[in-house]
Amino acid sequence: METDRIIRVKASPKQQEERLRRLLRILLLRHGEPLFPGKTRRFLGSTDVPLSPRGREQAEAMRFTLRDLPLSRIITSPLRRASETASLLAAGHSSRVETVEALREIHLGTWENRTFDDVAAAEPELFAARGRDIWNVRPPKGESFRDAASRALPAFTALLTTRGGSSSGERRIQDEQEMRIPPSRRGLPFPASTQRIPDEVILFVGHAGIFRLVLSAALRIPLEATFRMEQDYCGIHVLEQRELLEEGSSPLRNRHQETEETVPAESENPAFSEKMSFRLLRLNWNATFPEA
């Protein structure tokens, strides 16, 4: 039977320099499988449905996997499929679940809860137009991704620049520090090469659409590119942030904000400062996947 052992971490000159900056690990965890009114693929944005029995099993499995991580905050969308997932994950952690309205999934208007085939047949021109320009085109009475970004990304930025929840996740590297990590848990869900102890680990429980916006802004890539970055139910994207947003820093402009024709100046929504540095540690990490 495996037992805990002590790992001694000696800070190198590089680590000593890194210590001067806050290191934040961000877990973007998609909710568990929702209770669909059928097996057919549907537009499911702001429609508020609970988890399916399988979705609850997925969340329970991930709770077991994350049980040893020192989560300083657990933040969720208000939609039930996310908030129920967050509640299941929070069991055993001292951090309370924080609900943030702005992180709800993109609103798909009259397309909500309809199958893709139904919408494509009933509104072929608009369906095709959205496929060509998903950043700007809105479903009837719904949001475009640009609309969703204008509410979700400022809220996400604000959450990263404020502290909340318990302090159980705050650990600072010193010249020599001991930490107890059960051998079976090491590297989960971080690669072994990134085992510097973070100052804070924040878990966001939410939706694939909103997380696409976060990845696009954080990694400085077009939104369309994120549609090739799959995220399973209860799959986790892991980001690392090394610097805080500083007042007065220049905004990050993405490809969708290059011209006034695409995004009028008054509608521009700078999400992250150029001084806010991110890197992607893991994509779609899942408890059922073998370790790399």
Side-chain angles (χ1 to χ4, degrees), residues 21-95:
R21 298 184 292 175
R22 181 182 176 216
L23 181 69
L24 178 65
R25 295 266 164 78
I26 302 158
L27 310 186
L28 305 178
L29 187 147
R30 189 183 182 191
H31 57 77
E33 180 188 82
L35 187 63
F36 288 109
K39 298 292 185 181
T40 310
R41 189 182 181 197
R42 295 173 180 270
F43 284 102
L44 188 64
S46 63
T47 300
D48 200 6
V49 295
L51 290 176
S52 69
R54 175 168 172 74
R56 295 184 67 85
E57 290 175 0
Q58 291 166 336
E60 288 284 2
M62 189 56 74
R63 179 189 66 79
F64 179 80
T65 299
L66 300 182
R67 69 189 185 278
D68 294 326
L69 278 186
L71 302 176
S72 56
R73 302 179 75 178
I74 302 173
I75 299 167
T76 183
S77 152
L79 297 179
R80 282 188 292 171
R81 58 189 184 273
S83 61
E84 288 178 7
T85 301
S87 294
L88 291 169
L89 292 170
H93 285 280
S94 58
S95 299

Side-chain angles (χ1 to χ4, degrees), residues 6-186:
I6 300 297
I7 302 176
R8 294 186 181 275
V9 182
K10 182 71 175 179
S12 67
K14 182 178 178 181
Q15 286 175 318
Q16 292 171 0
E17 180 182 352
E18 291 282 352
R19 191 188 308 141
L20 301 176
R21 298 184 292 175
R22 181 182 176 216
L23 181 69
L24 178 65
R25 295 266 164 78
I26 302 158
L27 310 186
L28 305 178
L29 187 147
R30 189 183 182 191
H31 57 77
E33 180 188 82
L35 187 63
F36 288 109
K39 298 292 185 181
T40 310
R41 189 182 181 197
R42 295 173 180 270
F43 284 102
L44 188 64
S46 63
T47 300
D48 200 6
V49 295
L51 290 176
S52 69
R54 175 168 172 74
R56 295 184 67 85
E57 290 175 0
Q58 291 166 336
E60 288 284 2
M62 189 56 74
R63 179 189 66 79
F64 179 80
T65 299
L66 300 182
R67 69 189 185 278
D68 294 326
L69 278 186
L71 302 176
S72 56
R73 302 179 75 178
I74 302 173
I75 299 167
T76 183
S77 152
L79 297 179
R80 282 188 292 171
R81 58 189 184 273
S83 61
E84 288 178 7
T85 301
S87 294
L88 291 169
L89 292 170
H93 285 280
S94 58
S95 299
R96 65 181 179 85
V97 175
E98 304 170 53
T99 301
V100 178
E101 180 68 27
L103 298 182
R104 67 172 47 243
E105 182 63 297
I106 185 172
H107 178 45
L108 296 170
T110 61
W111 292 3
E112 286 283 345
N113 213 23
R114 293 168 62 187
T115 67
F116 280 51
D117 290 344
D118 173 40
V119 171
E123 303 172 65
E125 292 184 4
L126 186 58
F127 183 84
R130 187 171 184 267
R132 291 190 300 268
D133 186 8
I134 200 167
W135 178 252
N136 289 297
V137 176
R138 301 179 181 94
K141 300 182 180 180
E143 291 180 303
S144 65
F145 270 89
R146 187 180 78 181
D147 297 329
S150 70
R151 61 169 166 84
L153 293 181
F156 186 83
T157 302
L159 289 164
L160 295 189
T161 55
T162 58
R163 291 186 179 270
S166 79
S167 60
S168 62
E170 296 178 11
R171 299 181 179 180
R172 301 207 176 262
I173 288 225
Q174 302 187 10
D175 286 350
E176 190 171 1
Q177 181 182 46
E178 294 180 349
M179 68 175 171
R180 290 184 176 273
I181 302 178
S184 61
R185 315 308 301 166
R186 288 184 204 133

